[in-house]
Amino acid sequence: MIAIRAMNLSERYGVRGRSRWLVIAVAAAVLAVMAPAASAARDDGRPAWRDCGSGGVPAGMQCAAVEVPADWAEPEGPKITLDLARLPATEPTRRIGSVLGIPAGFGIEGLTRAAADLTELRRRFDLVGFDTRATVWIAQMPAVCKQPGVSLRDPRHKKEFAALAAGMNDAFKECQKADTTGLFAHLDSLSIARDMEAIRAALGEERLSFMASGTGGVAAAAYARLFPQRIRAMYLDGVNNQTKGWPAQELLALPVLRRMATRFAEWCADTPACALHGEDAGAVWRKLLRDADRRPIPVTSSQYGDGKLTGWLLGSTLPLDPGPKNANWMTFADSVDKARRGDGSGFADSALFNAWIAATPGAQVMSCGDGRGYASYAQLEDFRRKARKISSGYVGAAINQLGCAGWPMPVANPARPLPTRGLPPMLGVGTTWIDYTSTESFTGMIPGSVTVAYDGPGHVMYLSGKKCPIRYATRYLTDLTLPEPGTVCPAEGRAGQ
């Protein structure tokens, strides 16, 4: 079982490393074993809920499915099936309604993983997760869609950008030609929002409460745009804010990256076991980026093929979370030390994978319809100018944006202001180390909303079991009571432990 919105593993607030296609394949197999065969709906249109079976699912979890059009512009056309799961309210006489997780909110996988932390919320609500249409796409994606369209690099002039766009355009068209799902042009968040509305109608709820995180914020905004009257409450945990444009989100992330590099350097100065201890670790890192741009580090040991590590690629590998016992920082310091001596093996898989996935049409198709990418070289240069004002050493493109160059379809869900009339006040939570600014840029659009700062590392606080954010989120979703503006949750446990 999986809950994926945009498969972009080099996303600022996502994870690094192994391919999610492996995770997705395993998860889909688990779903096939766990869930008994079910019709999409009963005769009355409601989901045909049944026990999910064994296999590590929480006690009482029920599975079902709904059918939706592959293309909402043709509601009578070909259909796809979306899997659902729910944990019914444990106090049914006091039940308020349903909370729908917006992947990457708590989808089915998240609902399964975080059931214990959702216990208090579940008293008054049915908790519902769903696997998006991207799940259907991933399961049936043609092989040609899984191969990079170009050897991705940072374009330094119009001609290079045009060549990149042309190569990706060809790859997208080959992928579209091979597609048998009908989903190639319909994986945008407006389509997902309409799926969510179909789920609401199938549940028989007049209004729903929602939980969203990460790129699930794009679908949350799309639903708020289309169906504001159907939202009872919406909790936003470390979300992206596509309404202001993807480049704007990258610019918001730059100060976060700068602070993270400073934290890393301070930790290294205080940690004898750090491979860069006794040096200015921040200066070593910045020099490595400059040197690698002039003399790329060759790599031949990566599972993603041979390549060269430029400073542009290496810049996407800085860990945004120190990890348990600072393990991520320890590994990063070792990799930096090796790389400055000409051994890029510590960065090979992560850096080359970021470039590989960003140039793979089957992955990028899930976000290009939401306007991700640079529409022109002029827009890229505008981003660079703004980025340099924030961080003088930053000169490259945002790697996540480049893969949508050459997108052959109209952008279904372009960035634009979100109408807020009729929307209820919302609650956001974001970590001061990573995603507070992004989340607050979303909630700040909606009058009366509040964003709680979690003063520590991490991402998706509710599903990480953090008690303070869980307490505020549960109170808000249950009673519609928001905390005071400026509320801060202290880190639970020392950073890195």
Side-chain angles (χ1 to χ4, degrees):
M1 296 191 230
I2 57 175
I4 299 291
R5 165 57 201 117
M7 188 178 59
N8 196 316
L9 303 187
S10 57
E11 169 179 350
R12 292 292 184 195
Y13 310 135
V15 298
R16 300 186 299 122
R18 60 180 180 167
S19 168
R20 259 193 198 165
W21 276 324
L22 176 59
V23 179
I24 289 163
V26 173
V30 171
L31 176 60
V33 172
M34 288 173 47
S39 59
R42 308 181 314 193
D43 291 341
D44 61 3
R46 298 290 180 86
W49 295 106
R50 60 191 65 198
D51 189 83
C52 289
S54 58
V57 299
M61 178 176 276
Q62 299 171 334
C63 289
V66 296
E67 273 192 348
V68 298
D71 178 1
W72 276 99
E74 298 182 12
E76 302 306 318
K79 301 294 193 296
I80 59 173
T81 300
L82 305 178
D83 292 310
L84 309 178
R86 75 172 176 183
L87 293 171
T90 55
E91 297 180 11
T93 60
R94 302 176 65 221
R95 180 184 178 276
I96 295 171
S98 296
V99 175
L100 180 66
I102 307 176
F106 61 60
I108 295 179
E109 185 275 335
L111 184 60
T112 300
R113 176 168 50 87
D117 295 318
L118 296 163
T119 299
E120 189 63 30
L121 186 63
R122 187 184 171 190
R123 293 180 188 276
R124 308 288 300 278
F125 292 95
D126 293 347
L127 307 181
V128 182
F130 76 106
D131 286 344
T132 72
R133 57 184 42 225
T135 308
V136 180
W137 166 251
I138 291 166
Q140 302 179 40
M141 187 190 306
V144 69
C145 301
K146 301 177 185 180
Q147 299 303 315
V150 297
S151 179
L152 198 64
R153 70 179 116 200
D154 183 15
R156 295 297 178 156
H157 48 71
K158 288 183 180 180
K159 186 176 181 180
E160 285 188 352
F161 184 86
L164 165 65
M168 287 304 300
N169 182 267
D170 289 344
F172 280 128
K173 288 180 177 178
E174 287 299 312
C175 178
Q176 183 179 22
K177 188 187 304 181
D179 174 33
T180 59
T181 68
L183 289 174
F184 178 90
H186 307 294
L187 292 165
D188 58 277
S189 289
L190 288 177
S191 295
I192 290 176
R194 292 186 172 94
D195 295 344
M196 291 160 54
E197 176 62 5
I199 292 170
R200 180 205 62 78
L203 294 174
E205 303 276 8
E206 187 68 23
R207 294 190 300 163
L208 285 178
S209 298
F210 297 90
M211 298 179 74
S213 66
T215 51
V218 185
Y223 190 87
R225 186 183 302 281
L226 295 176
F227 309 106
Q229 74 280 7
R230 297 300 188 183
I231 301 174
R232 174 185 172 272
M234 186 172 280
Y235 169 70
L236 304 157
D237 195 334
V239 294
N240 294 91
N241 181 11
Q242 173 266 357
T243 69
K244 296 182 183 296
W246 294 101
Q249 287 295 290
E250 293 289 344
L251 294 175
L252 281 177
L254 289 180
V256 175
L257 293 173
R258 189 171 63 237
R259 288 194 297 270
M260 189 61 68
T262 299
R263 287 189 177 101
F264 163 72
E266 292 172 347
W267 164 82
C268 192
D270 293 337
T271 307
C274 173
L276 307 177
H277 181 70
E279 304 178 72
D280 182 339
V284 172
W285 171 237
R286 292 189 295 272
K287 184 176 186 302
L288 175 64
L289 297 181
R290 292 192 301 271
D291 290 348
D293 260 344
R294 290 193 295 267
R295 295 183 299 277
I297 305 169
V299 173
T300 58
S301 59
S302 172
Q303 61 179 306
Y304 302 105
D306 298 348
K308 292 185 177 181
L309 301 181
T310 62
W312 173 69
L313 281 178
L314 289 174
S316 68
T317 64
L318 176 67
L320 294 179
D321 189 328
K325 297 185 178 180
N326 299 301
N328 292 344
W329 277 354
M330 194 73 72
T331 299
F332 178 72
D334 289 341
S335 298
V336 171
D337 187 41
K338 290 178 181 177
R340 65 176 172 173
R341 305 175 197 281
D343 177 4
S345 59
F347 290 118
D349 283 351
S350 58
L352 293 182
F353 177 69
N354 287 342
W356 182 83
I357 202 72
T360 300
Q364 295 308 306
V365 68
M366 291 182 279
S367 55
C368 295
D370 289 322
R372 194 164 199 158
Y374 304 103
S376 65
Y377 186 73
Q379 187 184 37
L380 170 56
E381 279 294 278
D382 179 67
F383 170 80
R384 284 182 171 135
R385 283 192 296 270
K386 292 174 179 176
R388 290 188 192 106
K389 290 181 180 179
I390 297 171
S391 180
S392 59
Y394 190 93
V395 296
I399 189 171
N400 301 318
Q401 313 287 349
L402 288 175
C404 286
W407 175 241
M409 310 295 296
V411 174
N413 182 34
R416 59 211 189 277
L418 177 68
T420 59
R421 183 180 178 86
L423 291 176
M426 298 181 183
L427 174 64
V429 168
T431 62
T432 56
W433 284 43
I434 300 178
D435 48 31
Y436 175 85
T437 54
S438 176
T439 304
E440 199 280 330
S441 78
F442 191 121
T443 57
M445 299 184 295
I446 302 159
S449 299
V450 173
T451 300
V452 172
Y454 178 86
D455 193 18
H459 177 55
V460 189
M461 295 294 93
Y462 205 112
L463 300 185
S464 299
K466 304 300 184 183
K467 292 181 174 56
C468 177
I470 286 174
R471 184 170 64 251
Y472 285 119
T474 302
R475 184 184 181 197
Y476 163 68
L477 290 168
T478 303
D479 302 330
L480 303 180
T481 301
L482 287 162
E484 290 294 319
T487 296
V488 177
C489 283
E492 297 177 18
R494 189 165 66 86
Q497 297 299 310

